[in-house]
Amino acid sequence: MSAYLHSDLHDTICALATPAGTGAIGVIRVSGNKALEIVNALFKGKDLCKQPSHTVHFGKISDGSRVIDEVLASVFIAPTSYTGDDTVELSCHGSPYIQQQILQLLVQQGCRLAKPGEFTLRAFLNKKLDLSQAEAVADLIASDSAESHKMAMQQMRGGFSEQIKHMREQLVNFASLIELELDFSEEDVEFAKREELIVLVSKIAGVIQNLLQSFNYGNAIKNGIPTVIAGKPNAGKSTLLNALINEERAIVSDIAGTTRDTIEEAFVMDGITFRLIDTAGIRQQAADEIEEIGIERAYEKLQKASIIMYVFDATVTSPEQLNQDISSLKKYQAIVIPVANKADMLANAPAFVETSIAISAKNNTGIDLLRQRLVTAVRKDEIKNDIIITNLRHYEALKHAADALQQVLNGIGAHVSGELLALDIRKALFHLAEITGEVTTDDLLANIFSKFCIGK
Amino acid sequence: MFIDYDIIVVGAGHAGCEAAAAAANLGSRVLLITMDMNKIAQMSCNPAMGGIAKGQIIREIDAIGGYSGIVSDKSTIQFRMLNRSKGPAMWSPRSQNDRMLFSQYWREILEATPNVDFWQDMVKELVLDKGKVCGVITGMGQKIGCKAVILTSGTFLNGIIHIGTKQFGGGRIGEKSSTGITEQLVSLGFESGRMKTGTPPRVDGRSLNYDKMERQDGDENPGRFSYSSLTTPVSNQRCCWITYTNEAVHEVLRTGFDESPMYAGRIQGLGPRYCPSIEDKINRFAERERHQIFVEPEGWSTVEIYVNGFSTSLPDHVQIKALRLIPGFEDAKIFRPGYAIEYDYFPPTQLKLTLETHLIENLFFAGQINGTTGYEEAACQGLIAGINAHGKLAGKEDFVLKRSEAYIGVLIDDLVNKGTDEPYRMFTSRAEYRIMLRQDNADIRLTEKGYRLGLASKLRMHAVEEKEKQTADIVTYFKKTSVIPTDINPLLAELSTAPIPQNYKLDAILSRPQVDMANLKRLPQVNEFLQGFKEDAVLQAEVLMKYEGYLEKEKQMVDKMNRLEEIRIKDGFDYNTVKSISLEAREKLIKQRPVTLGQAARISGISPADISVLLVHLGR
């Protein structure tokens, strides 16, 4: 296991070419001999593989079931591109969420995320740049590698690095057991039972799976926490949205069912971005078809919410009613914050209101308190996954590791010999090492020698 | 009194013998200098060749045209294919050998090699001229001229033997150590270190009670190492025996710890962790109630027994007292006690991949001097050094095997790029492409290389070509021949694997883990087809089909890796002009002078970022 994958020069790479963050548009660059083929697989429009160099084409990027964005694809055929390899530049809308989604799709199609300076490195190797420019690239690579580890560590929240380390130790132990029976089968030592190995690998694979799942949530933190405002019609949800963002964004009226579609707005508090999603009020009998669709969408949004602010009208809601509504929301993977609206209209707040955040959306009271409550929810990690990954490169590495472990499990299931299992374990270790640092065969041997009495 | 030799080989152990034979066969005039002509190719430790990963190396040596495989076959007293229950990549041939016959056959081979002369003496100094070696000076004061020197000093350089509190100079017990070379090389700028190894007592087989031990026989159908027609499998075999230590043995051994040279700190050299002394085992693994002991005969007719697993440097009276508490050893008489030996080695990061030193031109190191342990590891280095020393003088290309081509390539690449702190032994886990590097295909991998060099005969080359052709024919047949459910399903049921619902190609059936070629031979159509094909071709075809997917994965890795291997770093490349690499990387690169970027990537302390930066600078 060495650096061979790190410096691969022939695969297809992709990255955001414009600065990260929200802008009018963002450009994603894809370069390598499969660039056209890969983009084409996601692109609904003309067949990009058949287009001449230096042409621009309108189309939609789709994940197969849904359209992610409408984009312009600029096609550059080798060698007349920046890198000298086939290149497609996708101009998409400037939302970090959309950009991440597109990058993720590209990775799924076989792209690798480019390392800093890698496009320029290829440009140099294809003789597109002179040496002084290339030296700048070299400096960039060198400084990045020193910084990137630090960065990666900073990016990790919770016990991510701890968990990866633990997993790696277990995998090294597992790999050692396999190596033990291969290299030391003549020794008087006991070898691991396959059933135990299955348990161990499944456990590790499970942890990785959880981390992979947390990626979507991790992205949520990066791109905004989906915070849904839910509640019965006319509870004051839209008023609350306007109050939180200090803007008359949603149409407010006394007519129940005014909000027909979901409305999204972001606001930042203590450095955390919340994506506020106002939904149509949920009631059994929709006034018309449009409201019905709105209600359906509201349910969809609830599925994806990390936080649900359940707004109820404190003047008309009974404690039993509230309990029932809140517990019906428990099935969503989100924190539920009950918000008692119109609290100022009650002379004496009943006890059940006190467990909620009491506000008056209309008079702007209690809003700061609610904002604080949102921040604490994130800070205190009340949110389900205590460990999350936010970095697409980590995601990619974990994905590869998970695939390799699946191969290990398949192999054990098919009773293949240890050296074949070892091949896939090493692959898994290699990919984990992309996050945590290298594992060498010397490490495996050292582990064997420290744990088993080897040697005639 | 001496002619001017092309190459002087210092030392006639496993490395020296292979080096001398290879260089001489290629056409160099070789002088083999050894301190004792009667000790040529000694098995200083256990009387066995091969084993896991090591057996593969012997077959590689044989394929290239070395002699270790042939000599092993001719002196075999027992043969076993280890790891038979694992996949074919793990199968490892191992033989017990007659120690005296082994030595005798090697001497006969060398004496039959016209270009090899002998001289019995100690080399105490190298003669240099402008950074180039041009001769040696011996203990008797002879100055002998040559163009290249291959040093294979084994455990002899400043060797010190320890038995309990006793210590004395020696290269093996009863033999003098060698002095002078280390001091000279260090004064020339070489870095040297100390290593340690040990060996168990030898006992009198007539004094053992085998009724109390388990018998371990050789294979029913023994194989052999050499691919050539020069040897045949052993017909009669001697058995080995297994017994175990116990708490009483351990108790006695512990009484000697005060006098142990290891624990008293008299030995500084680092010993191998995978070959610990018995005292180390009971010390480090105190919870183990017993340790396995292999009782191995030293030959066909001798009563001498090698007590494998009981390596020790405790005082001799403790050794014998503990030994006699082992079942079967109650009345044991010993021929000689076990001992530990410390010797000089030179960290192999000072070498090129050809095993020539960076510091002195035409000086080559092979074997334990490079920090390795094991006959096989030594022998293959000798072969490579012999080939390259001759090649250098004859103006030929360097002979370097890649990690993806041979265990020998892995071994030398590891040594040169990573170095080693403890005696380096080969393990299959050291090879990242071990599914490819098998004992069954060493001839396919390497015979052509040996043939091109002029070491492997035309006959061998033809045999390999025939094997490859037959293999291809069998694979083709399996890939295009279908089998019908009624013919195969009873067999599949018997093997506890799912029946087939419709016609399947044979190779798809064979790829199931539960099915092997022997099973399929029970189908009349297969059995009939395979008549007339050689056994090794059938095995080859089976492996290729059964492990197709995994072999493909390894090939992809090799392809990726080779991209870096193909980027050469010019000799004399000035790393100081590359500003962005780390200080540590620069120092190591300047010292170790890798030839390719791939090699640079394997040097410890060189990061992927350093490699990327170098890539930019080597970009055109």
Side-chain angles (χ1 to χ4, degrees):
Chain A
M1 292 287 151
S2 62
Y4 64 92
L5 278 181
H6 295 273
S7 297
D8 206 312
L9 301 171
H10 297 262
D11 49 4
T12 300
I13 53 175
C14 63
L16 188 62
T18 44
T22 311
I25 58 161
V27 175
I28 291 171
R29 183 182 280 154
V30 185
S31 181
N33 50 16
K34 288 196 176 143
L36 290 165
E37 194 185 309
I38 288 173
V39 176
N40 213 26
L42 304 170
F43 188 78
K44 282 189 177 168
K46 286 184 203 152
D47 183 351
L48 294 177
C49 296
K50 291 184 180 150
Q51 304 308 318
S53 190
H54 294 74
T55 53
V56 182
H57 310 277
F58 172 78
K60 291 169 183 170
I61 293 291
S62 153
D63 66 0
S65 60
R66 98 201 138 102
V67 172
I68 305 289
D69 196 13
E70 295 182 334
V71 302
L72 288 176
S74 313
V75 173
F76 305 92
I77 312 273
T80 54
S81 70
Y82 173 67
T83 58
D85 295 330
D86 284 350
T87 300
V88 180
E89 290 181 359
L90 294 172
S91 306
C92 60
H93 289 99
S95 130
Y97 175 74
I98 286 173
Q99 291 157 3
Q100 285 277 337
Q101 288 286 309
I102 296 178
L103 283 172
Q104 221 176 319
L105 285 174
L106 288 167
V107 168
Q108 277 166 16
Q109 289 293 325
C111 265
R112 177 168 62 73
L113 281 179
K115 287 169 286 178
E118 203 172 2
F119 288 108
T120 314
L121 173 67
R122 290 189 177 192
F124 172 74
L125 294 173
N126 287 327
K127 306 194 188 340
K128 292 257 159 188
L129 299 175
D130 66 20
L131 189 65
S132 66
Q133 285 169 299
E135 272 174 350
V137 178
D139 287 340
L140 179 62
I141 295 168
S143 68
D144 172 66
S145 73
E147 277 304 302
S148 64
H149 187 68
K150 221 169 87 191
M151 287 263 294
M153 288 302 145
Q154 284 167 351
Q155 280 172 3
M156 291 174 194
R157 290 182 77 253
F160 181 48
S161 61
E162 216 27 65
Q163 193 155 4
I164 293 276
K165 206 176 112 200
H166 184 61
M167 220 155 48
R168 184 170 103 147
E169 270 164 28
Q170 287 185 314
L171 254 193
V172 166
N173 281 340
F174 175 64
S176 303
L177 288 173
I178 293 287
E179 298 297 348
L180 180 73
E181 63 175 43
L182 296 174
D183 269 332
F184 305 97
S185 61
E186 295 295 295
E187 307 279 346
D188 185 25
V189 287
E190 274 194 35
F191 299 108
K193 295 192 182 75
R194 286 293 187 265
E195 303 81 64
E196 287 167 17
L197 297 182
I198 292 175
V199 172
L200 182 61
V201 178
S202 308
K203 205 173 110 198
I204 298 168
V207 173
I208 294 185
Q209 216 51 54
N210 279 342
L211 285 172
L212 286 174
Q213 275 162 14
S214 82
F215 179 66
N216 289 332
Y217 179 70
N219 258 320
I221 292 243
K222 221 160 134 188
N223 303 319
I225 313 257
T227 308
V228 169
I229 308 177
K232 294 210 156 42
N234 222 6
K237 300 181 292 300
S238 300
T239 318
L240 175 60
L241 175 94
N242 289 344
L244 281 168
I245 63 171
N246 271 329
E247 211 181 298
E248 292 297 314
R249 171 67 179 79
I251 300 166
V252 186
S253 79
D254 288 337
I255 305 162
T258 304
T259 305
R260 297 304 186 86
D261 199 356
T262 57
I263 292 178
E264 291 199 26
E265 271 304 319
F267 86 98
V268 180
M269 179 81 187
D270 283 11
I272 302 168
T273 305
F274 294 89
R275 260 192 312 127
L276 287 179
I277 303 155
D278 184 17
T279 59
I282 294 169
R283 57 176 169 181
Q284 296 298 323
Q285 302 291 318
D288 53 38
E289 206 176 314
I290 295 175
E291 194 191 345
E292 202 172 289
I293 295 170
I295 292 173
E296 239 169 69
R297 289 214 179 143
Y299 281 121
E300 270 171 37
K301 291 292 169 188
L302 285 171
Q303 302 278 6
K304 289 177 183 162
S306 292
I307 300 174
I308 299 170
M309 288 190 278
Y310 183 75
V311 184
F312 62 95
D313 184 340
T315 57
V316 299
T317 310
S318 71
E320 296 75 28
Q321 179 72 57
L322 180 64
N323 267 339
Q324 200 188 325
D325 291 348
I326 297 278
S327 47
S328 74
L329 291 172
K330 288 270 156 70
K331 63 172 180 272
Y332 301 109
Q333 300 284 315
I335 314 165
V336 179
I337 302 175
V339 179
N341 196 19
K342 306 180 191 172
D344 54 342
M345 290 163 78
L346 294 168
N348 288 311
F352 77 92
V353 171
E354 282 169 15
T355 59
S356 313
I357 307 281
I359 61 159
S360 165
K362 211 171 183 174
N363 301 325
N364 224 350
T365 57
I367 300 298
D368 277 343
L369 204 65
L370 180 57
R371 285 196 179 119
Q372 280 308 325
R373 178 70 188 85
L374 288 172
V375 171
T376 354
V378 178
R379 285 276 156 77
K380 279 196 170 170
D381 272 340
E382 285 179 50
I383 291 165
K384 287 274 154 49
N385 295 301
D386 57 341
I387 292 167
I388 55 167
I389 52 169
T390 58
N391 180 314
L392 190 48
R393 220 170 285 166
H394 291 165
Y395 176 80
E396 207 184 345
L398 287 170
K399 187 88 182 45
H400 287 306
D403 290 346
L405 287 178
Q406 190 52 51
Q407 296 286 318
V408 174
L409 286 174
N410 294 349
I412 298 178
H415 303 286
V416 306
S417 175
E419 74 276 13
L420 306 178
L421 298 179
L423 187 68
D424 288 317
I425 300 169
R426 285 178 179 204
K427 266 187 125 169
L429 272 176
F430 173 82
H431 290 296
L432 279 188
E434 292 181 312
I435 306 174
T436 61
E438 204 176 348
V439 178
T440 65
T441 52
D442 288 339
D443 296 334
L444 296 184
L445 286 168
N447 194 44
I448 291 176
F449 298 145
S450 68
K451 293 203 168 115
F452 301 95
C453 184
I454 298 301
K456 290 177 188 172
Chain B
M1 91 180 252
F2 292 99
I3 59 164
D4 257 355
Y5 286 97
D6 292 319
I7 296 169
I8 290 176
V9 178
V10 182
H14 303 267
C17 288
E18 288 286 7
N25 283 331
L26 290 170
S28 281
R29 286 165 305 170
V30 176
L31 178 67
L32 180 59
I33 304 182
T34 168
M35 289 163 72
D36 187 346
M37 284 287 289
N38 296 316
K39 295 280 167 40
I40 284 176
Q42 268 302 300
M43 301 182 121
S44 321
C45 209
N46 58 334
M49 291 294 283
I52 299 168
K54 291 162 165 271
Q56 282 87 329
I57 292 180
I58 298 185
R59 300 210 97 188
E60 290 176 355
I61 293 172
D62 185 71
I64 297 169
Y67 291 101
S68 291
I70 292 169
V71 173
S72 299
D73 285 346
K74 285 181 177 280
S75 58
T76 293
I77 62 172
Q78 189 202 77
F79 185 94
R80 289 201 301 140
M81 185 65 84
L82 307 184
N83 267 345
R84 248 290 112 81
S85 62
K86 313 277 189 313
M90 303 316 297
W91 293 7
S92 306
R94 182 182 193 272
S95 64
Q96 294 292 142
N97 296 77
D98 185 310
R99 189 163 54 83
M100 285 178 282
L101 270 184
F102 188 93
S103 170
Q104 186 190 321
Y105 281 124
W106 249 121
R107 181 160 170 170
E108 281 173 15
I109 283 170
L110 291 168
E111 287 178 356
T113 306
N115 276 338
V116 177
D117 288 351
F118 300 89
W119 180 249
Q120 180 169 304
D121 206 342
M122 178 180 91
V123 170
K124 58 169 200 174
E125 197 182 325
L126 302 172
V127 185
L128 304 175
D129 181 33
K130 296 182 198 112
K132 226 178 192 175
V133 69
C134 63
V136 300
I137 296 171
T138 71
M140 287 191 270
Q142 305 285 350
K143 185 174 171 179
I144 313 171
C146 66
K147 301 191 186 88
V149 170
I150 303 174
L151 271 186
T152 70
S153 52
T155 58
F156 280 70
L157 281 181
N158 293 319
I160 294 178
I161 290 172
H162 298 262
I163 303 174
T165 53
K166 282 176 254 174
Q167 67 180 72
F168 42 90
R172 263 187 299 254
I173 201 149
E175 295 176 58
K176 280 203 323 207
S177 61
S178 168
T179 52
I181 301 260
T182 306
E183 294 72 11
Q184 186 194 11
L185 289 175
V186 167
S187 77
L188 290 167
F190 279 91
E191 195 188 322
S192 79
R194 295 288 271 174
M195 274 191 179
K196 173 242 149 186
T197 189
T199 192
R202 311 300 199 271
V203 304
D204 186 335
R206 294 170 300 182
S207 66
L208 301 184
N209 180 0
Y210 295 107
D211 293 340
K212 295 193 173 174
M213 308 181 196
E214 297 162 25
R215 189 183 157 113
Q216 189 181 44
D217 284 308
D219 285 354
E220 225 166 281
N221 297 306
R224 59 192 176 111
F225 287 108
S226 182
Y227 292 102
S228 74
S229 53
L230 299 170
T231 66
T232 49
V234 62
S235 46
N236 294 311
Q237 300 191 64
R238 282 202 68 173
C239 68
C240 296
W241 303 89
I242 298 170
T243 182
Y244 296 90
T245 63
N246 50 49
E247 277 302 341
V249 176
H250 301 173
E251 208 40 60
V252 171
L253 288 170
R254 282 192 197 98
T255 65
F257 277 15
D258 293 348
E259 293 174 88
S260 155
M262 291 299 293
Y263 302 132
R266 280 188 302 279
I267 293 182
Q268 273 108 44
L270 206 54
R273 282 171 301 176
Y274 41 81
C275 194
S277 60
I278 185 72
E279 52 266 34
D280 253 7
K281 290 185 201 173
I282 61 175
N283 192 30
R284 287 183 50 217
F285 298 94
E287 73 286 357
R288 300 235 350 196
E289 287 160 12
R290 63 176 206 176
H291 294 278
Q292 208 170 25
I293 301 290
F294 290 86
V295 178
E296 304 177 351
E298 292 250 5
W300 287 117
S301 45
T302 179
V303 297
E304 191 169 342
I305 292 288
Y306 182 89
V307 191
N308 200 344
F310 205 79
S311 168
T312 177
S313 57
L314 293 174
D316 41 5
H317 63 91
V318 178
Q319 291 186 24
I320 183 78
K321 197 173 163 194
L323 208 52
R324 285 184 177 153
L325 292 168
I326 297 174
F329 279 70
E330 292 81 359
D331 303 313
K333 293 177 185 169
I334 66 173
F335 283 178
R336 48 199 164 112
Y339 60 88
I341 181 163
E342 261 190 304
Y343 53 95
D344 291 338
Y345 82 106
F346 293 86
T349 48
Q350 304 172 91
L351 300 173
K352 302 178 182 177
L353 289 170
T354 57
L355 299 180
E356 187 185 15
T357 65
H358 280 304
L359 278 178
I360 295 176
E361 203 179 339
N362 293 350
L363 176 64
F364 294 76
F365 290 170
Q368 278 169 299
I369 190 171
N370 290 335
T372 61
T373 174
Y375 310 144
E376 304 79 1
E377 287 84 348
C380 73
Q381 290 175 65
L383 177 66
I384 299 297
I387 291 169
N388 280 308
H390 169 84
K392 179 93 193 281
L393 301 182
K396 298 204 166 138
E397 241 177 64
D398 292 348
F399 186 74
V400 175
L401 297 173
K402 290 188 189 142
R403 298 182 73 89
S404 53
E405 289 174 334
Y407 274 97
I408 301 174
V410 174
L411 178 122
I412 294 175
D413 191 83
D414 275 353
L415 290 177
V416 170
N417 296 320
K418 295 190 202 153
T420 182
D421 296 331
E422 70 179 325
Y424 179 104
R425 184 189 130 175
M426 185 47 73
F427 297 107
T428 67
S429 52
R430 296 197 195 269
E432 54 273 60
Y433 311 120
R434 64 179 156 195
I435 318 265
M436 290 182 174
L437 306 184
R438 304 183 308 272
Q439 58 90 29
D440 61 74
N441 70 353
D443 53 346
I444 293 175
R445 289 184 276 127
L446 300 170
T447 299
E448 190 182 344
K449 289 179 188 288
Y451 177 65
R452 283 171 190 271
L453 281 171
L455 283 181
S457 65
K458 205 167 198 168
L459 211 63
R460 282 185 180 237
M461 195 59 231
H462 283 159
V464 170
E465 284 163 358
E466 179 60 20
K467 179 173 168 182
E468 288 193 282
K469 190 190 164 296
Q470 289 198 0
T471 305
D473 288 349
I474 299 169
V475 172
T476 309
Y477 173 80
F478 272 67
K479 282 195 185 296
K480 63 171 209 222
T481 307
S482 294
V483 60
I484 59 173
T486 47
D487 282 354
I488 189 92
N489 280 344
L491 177 63
L492 295 180
E494 201 180 308
L495 299 170
S496 321
T497 170
I500 53 171
Q502 72 228 24
N503 287 8
Y504 266 47
K505 295 278 187 270
L506 277 171
D507 70 323
I509 307 269
L510 185 61
S511 69
R512 294 187 177 184
Q514 298 86 349
V515 182
D516 62 21
M517 192 64 101
N519 303 138
L520 289 186
K521 272 192 195 165
R522 286 162 55 188
L523 298 176
Q525 61 181 118
V526 174
N527 190 43
E528 199 176 312
F529 172 79
L530 289 177
Q531 298 298 321
F533 284 100
K534 285 179 123 180
E535 213 174 297
D536 59 351
V538 177
L539 172 65
Q540 203 55 221
E542 178 179 10
V543 173
L544 291 185
M545 288 186 280
K546 274 192 91 64
Y547 300 96
E548 201 176 9
Y550 288 96
L551 284 167
E552 196 47 49
K553 273 190 214 176
E554 277 197 354
K555 275 196 197 113
Q556 284 170 6
M557 275 163 66
V558 173
D559 286 346
K560 281 193 166 173
M561 175 105 160
N562 276 350
R563 289 170 194 155
L564 285 183
E565 301 298 323
E566 278 156 16
I567 302 174
R568 295 189 74 81
I569 304 173
K570 262 189 272 150
D571 205 21
F573 178 81
D574 186 1
Y575 290 98
N576 287 315
T577 62
V578 187
K579 277 173 271 149
S580 309
I581 52 175
S582 69
L583 198 63
E584 186 195 1
R586 185 171 319 172
E587 279 172 4
K588 289 214 162 153
L589 290 165
I590 288 172
K591 203 175 135 214
Q592 297 186 217
R593 303 179 217 174
V595 188
T596 65
L597 212 50
Q599 197 191 339
R602 288 189 295 277
I603 295 174
S604 59
I606 310 286
S607 72
D610 294 324
I611 295 301
S612 302
V613 170
L614 278 177
L615 194 62
V616 170
H617 282 263
L618 297 167
R620 48 183 148 179

